[in-house]
């Protein structure tokens, strides 16, 4: 098997040279937004007199990044908005370079975008996930010559941007996809000043020899040279993490043209630090480009490592076996949808690293450069894919967009140390967008994309997930394996993986898990399994994701409790340790995310398969993974979000502790229940489980876990209810918290005798009148005005605005209740 050498790098930055700063300015503030179309560009820029008709429609002030669908993506009562929207601002533009270029750099905008300077269209772009620039140099110069520049706009330049996420069958991704196709300027927009001649792309082409003793770089450049300057010269330096120069060179080119690629000389040095998840060591490559006394500098991070997918497994990094411990990610978050800030992204990726993740599949599109930078610096290996997802295959325009987006993804992210796999598609066996579903044509286009990916980047491998009739085309294949959720029972997992390992040379298991409604727990979560047929396959098939029809399955007939999903995860993780030559897997998905095709889920329009909620609140399952994957000592008693357990008086109940310690001792109400040794194959909870008789009422539970001389503790308090309950008959609404201007209310479902119905899953609907604002449309169990109850209760918060409000809760078949605050 030929060993693949990965060439590793990081992000683009701008630095100071010869007294003039290459400037890249984030344009975050002073934007206006209009969530509809306008009659023409003149409407966006014409002089406005307050109170007159030209002041309409009304624009609102926003900051970037911004998404059309920050709220309506999870509004339970409407379809999310798909259509045009407009942004506008005014800029002070003064390029410090003589004859320099002024650009607007878009890190991602959805999905079709037009850019205007005053009334002049300067650029258009199709695609919601790749980066692109609009050269506004000439349009700015022309506008500055008009009377409006000084008279109306007071020396500023008006910029207008139209984004459009309207439904279009001839674009990717498909609207059948299990995620929102968002609209807006949901990634950062930058104003860039650069010299007349600049570096467009730097391909550092770093490699390392088989013994990891010598590092090589073969940097190649492409230039942005719209004025057709003839020559370029510069320096190349490579620095280690301390800033020491370990290699350098110079180059001179006599004829440069936009779009062409030029080699500028090879470099090498000895004894490189190799990049790995445990030690993501990064070097810096700095390349200058000088013409007519103006210098442009491009700086990137670069690392060195090798990787190998051995035939029939396993996976090797730098010559050593590495088990890939993976997850997935969508760009989506409570309150902002796709418009995540860099702080939010850093928080999310650090949470993954803290859980023990060393691999991620970025589903199902090119993601923000910030995410890739974080994967590089944190040491998280990446599968990134183009957004050819579901629906079939469209016409020439459809295929052109797919080619362009694959090309842009590879060229723009070519230098990231973390990426080893280029994904060509997802669930391309899913038909529905076109009258024709021709497998032969899909195979032909998949082959074309596979060849294109290898041409653009011979150093990495290609992959797809769930399209069996194309599995022989790509280098690495991921079949559909969902025992215990969409089909079968979770104990069928190991055999299903072993069967699939024999069908392709290189198999990786992407997507597994199940939904859990945060805060919902069960005393007997496995009871659904007795009704589920086994031996009929474990792959997800058409209709399996539906909540109606078909055979019995956990996804339809289960309780969606955290109790069930931690059991499934626990089983999968202990089994994965015993599968011979297994490359690894990536569970679906790290964080709950919005989707337009799941309106009837317990939180409407949410895929709830995450181990954290849409607002980063950790579910109990986060700690199951941490107990298997993290090297940092931890212990977690299952039940932090389970305030009341139930059963008969004197009945034994299992207490589970998830920990990576060698041993743990459990205390309940001050009494020791003994020390247990951890054994990952002792299911459940790796042997860290105790049978306990709870007191009626309050119970204090504590664990002390030990590994060598180190100890860690965790403790919770749970009530134990022995009273039996009947059918929910009434609701009780109370305020449970009030701090810093935010109040939280809880509704409890009770039977006719007033006993809390701890297994009730009734729908409840919150509403509010008065001075406050309901904190809803967040896509979380505690942030949705329509939600299924979890253990007979539900919560929501509101901003009080220092006034009075009345909260109402409705549930079918019960009297509406009110609470005045």
């Amino acid at each position: 098997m030929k060993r693949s050498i990965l060439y590793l790098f990081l992000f683009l930055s701008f630095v100071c040279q010869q007294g003039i700063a290459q400037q890249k300015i984030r344009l975050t503030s002073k934007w206006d937004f209009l969530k509809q179309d306008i009659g023409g560009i003149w409407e966006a820029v014409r002089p406005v007199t307050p109170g007159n008709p030209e002041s309409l429609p009304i624009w609102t002030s926003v900051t970037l990044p911004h998404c059309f669908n920050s709220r309506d993506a999870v509004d339970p009562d409407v379809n999310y908005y798909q259509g045009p929207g407009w942004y506008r601002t005014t800029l002070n533009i003064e390029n410090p370079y003589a004859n320099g270029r002024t650009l607007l750099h878009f890190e991602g905008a959805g999905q079709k975008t037009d850019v205007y300077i005053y009334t002049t269209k300067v650029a258009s772009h199709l695609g919601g996930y790749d980066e692109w620039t609009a050269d506004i140099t000439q349009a700015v110069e022309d506008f500055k010559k008009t009377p409006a520049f000084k008279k109306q706009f007071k020396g500023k330049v008006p910029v207008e941007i139209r984004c459009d996420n309207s439904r279009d069958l001839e674009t990717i991704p498909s609207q059948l996809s299990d995620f929102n196709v968002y609209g807006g300027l949901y990634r950062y927009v930058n104003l860039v000043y650069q010299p007349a001649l600049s570096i467009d792309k730097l391909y550092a082409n770093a490699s390392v020899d088989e013994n990891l003793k010598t590092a090589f770089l073969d940097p190649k450049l492409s230039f942005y040279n719209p004025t057709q300057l003839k020559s370029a010269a510069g320096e190349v330096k490579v620095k280690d993490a301390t800033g020491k120069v370990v290699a350098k060179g110079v180059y001179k080119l006599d004829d440069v043209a936009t779009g062409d690629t030029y080699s500028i000389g090879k470099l090498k040095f000895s004894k490189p630090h190799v990049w790995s998840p445990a030690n993501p060591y990064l070097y810096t490559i700095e390349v200058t480009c000088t013409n007519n006394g103006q210098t442009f500098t491009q700086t990137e991070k670069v690392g060195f490592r090798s990787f190998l997918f051995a035939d029939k497994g396993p996976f090797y990094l730098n010559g050593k076996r590495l088990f890939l411990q993976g997850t997935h990610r969508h760009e989506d978050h409570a309150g902002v949808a796709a418009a995540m800030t860099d702080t939010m992204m850093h928080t999310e990726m650090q949470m993954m690293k803290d859980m023990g993740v060393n691999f991620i599949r970025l589903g199902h599109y090119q993601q923000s450069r910030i995410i890739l930078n974080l994967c590089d610096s944190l040491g998280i290996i990446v599968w990134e894919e183009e957004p050819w997802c579901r629906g079939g295959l469209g016409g020439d325009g459809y295929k052109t967009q797919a080619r362009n987006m694959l090309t842009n993804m590879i060229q723009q992210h070519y230098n990231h140390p973390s990426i080893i796999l280029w994904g060509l598609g997802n669930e391309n066996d899913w038909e529905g967008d076109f009258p024709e579903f021709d497998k032969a044509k899909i195979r032909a286009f998949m082959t074309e994309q596979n060849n294109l990916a290898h041409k653009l980047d011979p150093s990495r491998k290609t992959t797809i997930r769930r399209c069996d009739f194309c599995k022989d085309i790509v280098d690495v294949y991921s079949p559909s394996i969902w025992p215990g959720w969409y089909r079968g029972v979770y104990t069928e997992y190991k055999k299903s993986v072993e069967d699939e390992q024999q069908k392709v040379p290189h198999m990786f298991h992407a997507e597994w898990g199940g939904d859990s409604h945060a805060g919902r727990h069960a005393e007997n979560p496995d009871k659904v399994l007795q009704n589920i047929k086994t031996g009929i396959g474990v792959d997800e098939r058409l209709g399996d994701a539906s909540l109606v029809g078909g055979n019995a399955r956990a996804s339809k007939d289960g309780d969606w409790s955290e109790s069930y999903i931690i059991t499934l995860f626990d089983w999968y993780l202990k089994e994965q340790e015993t599968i011979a030559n297994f490359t690894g897997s990536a569970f679906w998905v790290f964080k709950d995310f919005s989707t337009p095709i799941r309106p009837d889920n317990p939180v409407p329009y949410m895929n709830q398969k995450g181990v954290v909620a849409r607002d980063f609140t950790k579910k109990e399952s986060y700690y199951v993974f941490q107990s298997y994957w993290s090297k940092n000592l931890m212990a977690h008693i299952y039940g932090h979000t389970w305030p009341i357990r139930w059963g008969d008086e004197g009945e034994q109940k299992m207490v589970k502790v998830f920990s990576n310690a060698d041993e743990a001792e459990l205390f309940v109400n001050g009494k020791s229940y003994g020390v247990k040794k951890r054994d990952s194959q002792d299911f459940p909870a790796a042997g860290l489980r105790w049978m306990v008789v709870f007191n009626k009422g309050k119970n204090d539970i504590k664990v002390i876990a030990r590994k060598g001389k180190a100890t860690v503790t965790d403790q919770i308090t749970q009530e134990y209810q022995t009273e039996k309950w009947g059918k929910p008959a009434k609701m009780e609404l109370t305020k449970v918290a009030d701090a810093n201007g935010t109040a939280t209310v809880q509704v409890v479902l009770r039977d006719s005798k007033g006993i809390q119905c701890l297994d009730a899953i009734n729908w409840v609907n919150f509403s509010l009148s008065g001075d406050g604002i309901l904190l809803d449309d967040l896509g979380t169990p505690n942030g949705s005005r329509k939600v299924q109850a979890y253990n007979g209760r539900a919560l929501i918060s509101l901003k009080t605005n220092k006034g009075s409000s009345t909260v109402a809760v409705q549930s079918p078949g019960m009297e509406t209740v009110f609470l005045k605050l």
Side-chain angles (χ1 to χ4, degrees):
M1 180 68 186
K2 182 179 179 181
R3 184 178 299 273
S4 296
I5 305 296
L6 182 63
Y7 313 128
L8 315 169
F9 333 97
L10 197 58
F11 54 88
L12 171 69
S13 65
F14 293 86
V15 299
C16 293
Q17 282 291 317
Q18 297 184 357
I20 298 179
Q22 292 166 207
Q23 296 181 29
K24 180 178 178 182
I25 306 163
R26 273 187 179 175
L27 305 176
T28 56
S29 60
K30 299 182 180 179
W31 287 87
D32 296 330
F33 171 64
L34 181 66
K35 194 175 180 178
Q36 65 176 66
D37 214 344
I38 56 178
I41 189 60
W42 177 243
E43 284 191 18
V45 297
R46 64 188 173 189
V48 172
T49 304
N52 287 338
E54 65 268 18
S55 64
L56 301 173
I58 298 172
W59 298 59
T60 58
S61 296
V62 298
T63 58
L64 300 188
H66 175 267
C67 182
F68 295 178
N69 312 108
S70 58
R71 289 180 59 89
D72 68 12
V74 290
D75 187 324
D77 301 319
V78 301
N79 297 319
Y80 81 106
Y81 179 75
Q82 293 180 280
W86 284 84
Y87 298 86
R88 68 183 181 189
T89 191
T90 57
L91 302 174
N92 285 311
I93 296 180
E94 294 294 340
N95 194 317
Y97 292 99
N99 301 314
R101 310 306 298 181
T102 302
L103 311 176
L104 289 177
H105 169 227
F106 295 82
E107 297 183 18
Q111 295 287 312
K112 304 173 184 178
T113 308
D114 299 319
V115 182
Y116 295 82
I117 298 298
Y118 193 45
T119 58
T120 300
K121 183 188 283 190
V122 293
S124 295
H125 183 77
L126 172 62
Y129 312 103
D130 48 343
E131 298 189 13
W132 54 283
T133 59
D135 191 327
I136 63 174
T137 308
Q138 189 61 50
V140 169
E141 291 180 7
D142 293 343
F143 175 70
K144 287 184 175 182
K145 298 174 184 177
T146 68
F149 173 57
K150 292 184 178 180
K151 183 177 180 181
Q152 181 183 348
F153 291 96
K154 312 302 181 187
K156 293 185 177 182
V157 176
V159 177
E160 308 85 47
I161 302 169
R162 183 184 189 268
C163 296
D164 188 355
N165 68 330
S166 296
R167 300 175 74 91
D168 185 346
L169 291 176
E170 286 292 341
T171 62
I172 59 173
S174 169
Q175 300 290 340
L176 298 175
S177 298
D178 194 3
F179 57 90
N180 293 86
V181 182
Y182 284 128
L185 296 177
Y186 46 64
R187 295 187 193 157
Y188 290 106
V189 179
N190 308 291
L191 175 65
V192 179
Y193 299 133
Q194 58 191 40
L197 177 65
S198 60
I199 298 170
D200 182 34
K201 294 180 179 66
L202 163 62
Y203 305 101
N205 287 319
S207 62
V208 63
D209 69 351
E210 293 288 328
N211 297 319
L212 309 177
K213 298 297 184 182
T214 304
F216 304 91
L217 295 102
D218 184 12
K220 291 179 170 58
L221 304 178
S222 65
F223 295 90
Y224 184 54
N225 186 18
T227 56
Q228 299 181 348
L229 299 175
K230 292 298 182 182
S231 64
E235 297 180 326
V236 184
K237 294 180 181 178
V238 181
K239 302 175 183 178
D240 67 13
T242 69
K244 178 184 177 182
V245 175
V246 295
K248 63 181 179 179
V250 296
Y251 72 93
K252 183 177 181 181
L253 301 171
D254 294 328
D255 190 11
V256 293
T258 294
D260 292 341
T261 302
Y262 301 87
S263 180
I264 57 172
K266 298 181 179 181
L267 302 171
K268 70 176 183 178
F269 62 94
S270 300
K271 299 180 180 178
H273 297 275
V274 293
W275 185 96
S276 71
N279 182 27
Y281 193 96
L282 298 169
Y283 292 82
T284 300
I285 181 170
E286 180 180 288
V287 182
T288 63
C289 164
T290 300
N291 178 281
N292 291 335
Q294 295 182 349
T295 298
F296 180 95
T297 302
Q298 187 158 329
T299 304
E300 303 195 12
K301 297 295 183 180
V302 54
F304 303 87
R305 63 155 168 76
S306 66
F307 74 93
L308 169 68
F309 284 93
D311 287 342
K312 304 299 181 182
F315 175 78
Y316 293 90
L317 182 73
N318 300 327
K320 298 179 181 179
R321 182 178 179 181
L322 179 69
F323 186 78
L324 298 175
Q325 301 170 169
T327 187
H328 291 74
R329 177 185 189 270
H330 270 297
E331 289 196 340
D332 184 69
H333 192 72
V336 299
M340 293 183 68
T341 64
D342 47 7
T343 300
M344 292 175 181
M345 287 186 266
H346 185 275
T347 297
E348 183 172 2
M349 300 309 293
Q350 187 64 58
M351 288 177 71
M352 292 183 195
K353 187 70 175 181
D354 292 344
M355 194 178 74
V357 164
N358 65 18
F359 180 92
I360 188 169
R361 177 180 176 223
L362 300 175
H364 299 290
Y365 40 79
Q366 178 178 331
Q367 296 201 4
S368 168
R369 60 166 51 200
I370 298 167
I371 292 297
L372 274 300
N373 293 346
L374 288 165
C375 289
D376 295 341
S377 61
L378 291 171
I380 298 176
I381 299 169
V382 173
W383 160 349
E384 188 173 31
E385 68 190 36
E386 65 165 309
W388 184 20
C389 181
R390 295 186 177 179
L393 180 64
D396 290 342
Y398 181 106
K399 288 185 280 189
T400 296
Q401 184 192 1
R403 293 185 195 103
N404 290 342
M405 296 194 77
L406 177 62
T407 298
N408 290 344
M409 177 179 70
I410 292 175
Q411 290 183 340
Q412 292 168 11
H413 289 175
Y414 183 91
N415 292 334
H416 286 284
S418 47
I419 299 172
I420 65 168
L421 292 168
W422 295 123
L424 306 182
N426 178 66
E427 298 179 355
N428 299 101
D429 59 354
W430 195 302
E431 57 188 287
D433 275 345
F434 307 100
E436 176 187 67
F437 185 79
D438 190 319
K439 292 182 180 180
K441 290 181 179 179
I442 292 173
R443 274 186 59 86
F445 189 64
M446 187 72 74
T447 300
E448 179 186 333
Q449 292 292 82
N450 187 64
N451 293 338
L452 176 60
H454 283 303
K455 179 181 178 182
L456 292 168
D457 183 3
S459 71
R460 294 182 174 95
K461 299 299 182 182
T462 58
T463 185
I464 56 171
R465 180 193 163 271
R466 214 200 89 171
C467 186
D468 277 357
F469 63 83
C470 289
K471 66 185 178 183
D472 60 312
I473 296 172
V474 294
D475 301 316
V476 180
Y477 181 64
S478 174
S480 178
I481 304 174
W482 285 90
W485 192 247
Y486 288 125
R487 280 180 181 261
V489 298
Y490 55 75
T491 53
E492 295 180 276
Y493 177 66
K494 182 176 180 178
K495 184 178 185 304
S496 63
V497 169
E498 291 175 335
D499 289 345
E500 292 294 338
Q501 281 180 303
Q502 303 310 310
K503 296 178 181 179
V504 292
H506 310 123
M507 193 275 278
F508 178 84
H509 183 201
E511 297 199 23
W512 54 274
D515 291 87
S516 61
H517 191 35
R520 180 181 289 174
H521 304 272
E523 294 288 353
N524 185 20
D526 281 3
K527 62 183 179 181
V528 66
L529 300 180
Q530 63 189 4
N531 301 318
I532 295 175
K533 294 181 180 180
T534 60
I536 61 172
V538 295
D539 57 314
E540 178 195 3
R541 303 175 193 175
L542 190 63
D544 285 351
S546 173
L547 297 180
V548 296
N551 294 326
R553 53 192 182 273
S555 60
K556 175 176 71 75
D557 304 292
D559 58 19
W560 285 44
S561 68
E562 295 198 60
S563 309
Y564 178 79
I565 207 61
I566 65 126
T567 304
L568 182 149
F569 286 147
D570 191 12
W571 181 268
Y572 272 50
L573 290 168
K574 76 101 175 174
E575 291 287 82
Q576 286 178 358
E577 293 185 352
T578 69
I579 300 174
N581 297 320
F582 193 27
T583 56
S585 73
F587 73 89
W588 184 267
V589 57
F590 183 72
K591 184 172 67 173
D592 291 351
F593 64 94
S594 66
T595 169
I597 66 171
R598 298 178 185 263
D600 300 319
N601 280 4
V603 179
Y605 295 110
M606 286 297 300
N607 187 312
Q608 295 177 251
K609 293 184 179 68
V611 298
V612 301
R614 198 176 183 229
D615 62 355
F616 292 144
T617 301
K618 295 174 183 175
K619 300 185 189 180
E620 301 280 343
S621 51
Y622 177 93
Y623 302 97
V624 180
F625 282 92
Q626 195 173 47
S627 71
Y628 279 89
W629 288 356
S630 177
K631 297 186 184 304
N632 297 322
L633 184 60
M634 55 77 61
H636 180 85
I637 302 169
Y638 173 71
H640 280 245
T641 57
W642 193 2
I644 305 175
R645 296 193 64 170
W646 65 89
D648 295 331
E649 192 168 349
E651 180 182 355
Q652 286 192 325
K653 292 292 181 179
M654 183 181 291
V655 176
K656 297 178 182 179
V657 173
F658 291 97
S659 176
N660 55 10
D662 295 332
E663 62 181 30
E665 184 176 7
L666 186 76
F667 299 85
V668 178
N669 299 319
K671 174 186 174 182
S672 173
Y673 277 76
V675 175
K676 296 289 184 75
K677 300 285 186 180
R678 186 181 191 276
D679 175 1
S680 65
Q681 297 308 300
D682 186 357
F683 178 84
L688 302 181
R689 60 185 184 274
W690 293 260
M691 300 305 296
V692 171
V693 176
F694 287 125
N695 295 335
K696 184 177 180 180
K698 180 181 176 183
N699 292 270
D700 295 317
I701 307 167
K702 180 180 179 179
V703 67
I704 301 176
R706 301 176 181 87
K707 189 168 190 173
K709 295 182 179 180
T711 64
V712 64
T713 64
D714 188 37
Q715 56 188 33
I716 62 173
T717 297
Q718 289 181 316
E719 298 287 322
Y720 187 65
Q721 178 176 311
T722 59
E723 295 86 357
K724 310 302 179 189
W725 59 87
K727 179 182 177 180
K730 57 186 177 180
M731 296 181 290
E732 178 184 76
L733 182 61
T734 59
K735 181 172 70 172
V736 294
D738 193 350
N740 302 317
T742 299
T744 301
V745 298
Q746 174 178 265
V747 62
V748 173
L749 283 73
R750 301 188 182 278
D751 67 5
S752 59
K753 297 181 180 179
I755 300 172
Q756 183 171 347
C757 305
L758 292 172
D759 62 353
I761 62 172
N762 302 55
W763 284 101
V764 297
N765 289 266
F766 293 93
S767 59
L768 181 142
S769 61
D771 299 314
I773 299 175
L774 204 62
L775 299 178
D776 62 346
D777 292 340
L778 297 177
T780 65
N782 297 346
S784 180
R785 67 179 176 274
K786 179 182 180 181
V787 66
Q788 278 187 11
Y790 26 96
N791 295 125
R793 66 190 185 116
L795 297 95
I796 201 165
S797 297
L798 64 142
K799 288 185 178 179
T800 62
N801 292 329
K802 299 180 180 180
S804 61
S805 300
T806 298
V807 181
V809 184
Q810 299 169 295
S811 185
M814 283 179 275
E815 183 178 347
T816 300
V817 293
F818 301 89
L819 177 66
K820 187 173 182 180
L821 298 174

